[in-house]
Amino acid sequence: MPLFILLFMLLICSFTGGVERTLVAVKPDGVQRRYVGQIIQRFEKRGFKLVGLKMLQASDGLLSQHYRELVKKPFYPNLVDYMTSGPVVAMVWEGLNVVQSSRRMVGPTNPAEAPAGTVRGDLSLHVSRNVVHASDSVEGAEREIKLWFEGKELLNWECYDHSLTYKEDK
């Protein structure tokens, strides 16, 4: 990559909060209802870059680390039952302010409060079956990505439309 482009990207990132990564996971109900492709398409249309993708059966151990702040809540056993009831599709997306943007795209946890146009507003049926997870902070995303992915499972690749996506307006 030419030096002037690299410097330009660093300049843009310093003003916009920078390129981030976030974890997005299609939960078992989203997989069962065949929404994986629609959810991926929403993130691609938004201009984010997919750098990690896998389908897995989440273990109790992984979930206890992922939901560590909820372990003592009375609904935790039901949450684990739900999250282990079928496969999960875990993804890592990259882009400018991707954490905050993803949370807005996904919508509030309760689908009844989620606006139309959000993933949960359009696809979810119940607060305990809300189709998708998205990291809630940059720090949370970093922690969750390390739980769900090994470093070698994440790809660094140059997206051809990157120079257009991050082009500065004149």
Side-chain angles (χ1 to χ4, degrees):
M1 176 182 299
L3 181 59
F4 72 92
I5 292 176
L6 183 59
L7 291 173
F8 178 71
M9 292 305 299
L10 290 172
L11 179 65
I12 288 175
C13 290
S14 69
F15 288 115
T16 61
V19 174
E20 303 168 343
R21 287 184 170 178
T22 193
L23 179 80
V24 175
V26 182
K27 296 178 180 181
D29 61 316
V31 174
Q32 290 287 338
R33 295 172 63 207
R34 296 173 183 85
Y35 288 148
V36 175
Q38 289 181 46
I39 292 168
I40 289 172
Q41 186 177 45
R42 287 174 185 236
F43 283 83
E44 286 181 331
K45 283 184 175 182
R46 186 68 186 258
F48 297 129
K49 181 169 68 171
L50 185 62
V51 296
L53 172 72
K54 65 180 171 180
M55 179 182 244
L56 69 150
Q57 185 72 40
S59 68
D60 290 354
L62 172 62
L63 295 170
S64 69
Q65 292 175 52
H66 180 85
Y67 292 116
R68 67 183 186 193
E69 68 282 352
L70 303 177
V71 170
K72 296 190 189 257
K73 300 284 185 181
F75 60 83
Y76 180 75
N78 290 335
L79 175 62
V80 171
D81 287 345
Y82 157 59
M83 290 297 294
T84 58
S85 68
V88 173
V89 174
M91 300 172 274
V92 177
W93 291 94
E94 182 178 278
L96 292 175
N97 302 308
V98 70
V99 174
Q100 181 181 2
S101 296
S102 296
R103 292 293 291 184
R104 286 193 174 157
M105 290 170 60
V106 166
T109 303
N110 185 347
E113 299 169 0
T118 64
V119 174
R120 290 178 176 149
D122 293 347
L123 306 176
S124 296
L125 302 172
H126 188 272
V127 68
S128 68
R129 302 289 184 270
N130 60 17
V131 178
V132 68
H133 165 82
S135 301
D136 64 0
S137 67
V138 173
E139 298 78 20
E142 290 171 358
R143 182 183 72 80
E144 291 173 357
I145 290 167
K146 287 177 185 172
L147 287 174
W148 289 82
F149 287 86
E150 294 180 28
K152 66 183 179 184
E153 295 177 302
L154 301 176
L155 301 178
N156 290 311
W157 60 281
E158 188 61 39
C159 191
Y160 290 121
D161 70 350
H162 189 81
S163 62
L164 296 173
T165 304
Y166 299 105
K167 186 176 180 181
E168 184 179 17
D169 292 332
K170 296 186 181 199

